[in-house]
Amino acid sequence: MYFERKQLNNDELVRIYRNLLLPRIIEEKMLVLLRQGRISKWFSGIGQEAIAVGATLAMDREEWVLPLHRNLGVFTGRGMPLSRLFLQWQGSSAGYSKGRERSFHFGSREHAICGMISHLGPQLGVADGIALAYKLAKKSRAALVFSGEGGTSEGDFHEALNVASVWDLPVIFLVENNGYGLSTPVSEQYRCESIVYKAEGYGMEGVRIDGNNILTVIDTLRGVREYCIKYQRPYLVECMTFRMRGHEEASGTKYVPPELLEDWGKKDPIANYENWLRGEGC
Ligand SMILES: Cc1ncc(C[n+]2csc(CCOP(=O)(O)OP(=O)(O)O)c2C)c(N)n1
Ligand SMILES: [Mg+2]
């Protein structure tokens, strides 16, 4: 994996590393709590952390982000207190959704995070609405919304891209392409070579990047954000990665060819960045 530090100094590189590591450490704790029966469900983002963390770091702190079920790095990236996050996952009334749910279906106005509902797709249109509000108020802001590659087969995805393009909305559609939507591999999900082509179909710019390279994600999203604000246009970013664990912890990975897990294991976003940082003397 090739890292380019560009204008980043050592302190900034280390700050990025801490941000990248935090969701991994939390997840490792959650997997223990799950086996102890202290939480009931967990969607793992292990191996995909560079996307949520990098994209969140690239946005302005006040800009709305609309994450999904694997994007713990958005919540930690916005500095949500860990005590309340842990209460949330344990279904406590002191959690963000007041004990009504124990997973990732929650947000926080204070942190400009718009919580998802369980259905895949609706938040894409909500992001259009947020971007429209920014545009009407002439604010130099963009909205960032996540989708899995599976979610791009939903009707909502196509409607949201089309409206964003026709109405010139400053919204970033970030597609996390992790190879599987539940047990459905990409080859059975769609037949275009890249999801960027779906953006082109709606007259929108797009780019495919290595989603496991934290510096690539940050640099790309910073540039894309500036583009969306300056030109008042939407943009699609397809981040290539892999789902290293089951869809959720109860479902396993029996249907995933082991060699894929082995290959992608070598592309781990944290191990690779850490090795590079050591070489840089950070
Ligand atoms: C409209 C809708 N259909 C099906 C589901 C059930 N479901 C939840 S997550 C998921 C897989 C989504 O795959 P993808 O979009 O690739 O995201 P990933 O889980 O890989 O991050 C499915 C089928 C749902 N929540 N909503
Ligand atoms: Mg997927």
Side-chain angles (χ1 to χ4, degrees), residues 43-44 48 68-71 105 116-122 147-154 156 175-184 186 189 243 246-248:
F43 291 97
S44 176
Q48 304 183 205
L68 283 181
H69 49 289
R70 257 175 247 294
N71 304 133
H105 308 106
M116 66 181 289
I117 58 167
S118 184
H119 305 72
L120 301 170
S147 172
E149 86 294 336
T152 69
S153 299
E154 285 293 323
D156 286 47
V175 179
E176 209 164 359
N177 190 341
N178 63 3
Y180 282 84
L182 226 155
S183 56
T184 305
V186 162
Q189 184 72 241
R243 203 191 66 206
H247 169 66
E248 50 95 23

Side-chain angles (χ1 to χ4, degrees), residues 121-132:
Q123 65 272 31
L124 294 151
V126 174
D128 280 0
I130 294 168
L132 178 62

Side-chain angles (χ1 to χ4, degrees), residues 11-43:
D11 286 348
E12 286 167 320
L13 292 173
V14 171
R15 187 178 74 88
I16 291 168
Y17 176 72
R18 288 180 193 278
N19 273 277
L20 186 60
L21 193 59
L22 184 56
R24 175 75 58 95
I25 293 171
I26 292 175
E27 274 217 41
E28 283 169 355
K29 175 78 180 170
M30 298 318 283
L31 295 180
V32 172
L33 293 181
L34 188 72
R35 273 151 194 81
Q36 291 174 341
R38 291 164 71 188
I39 59 165
S40 59
K41 191 169 190 165
W42 188 254
F43 291 97

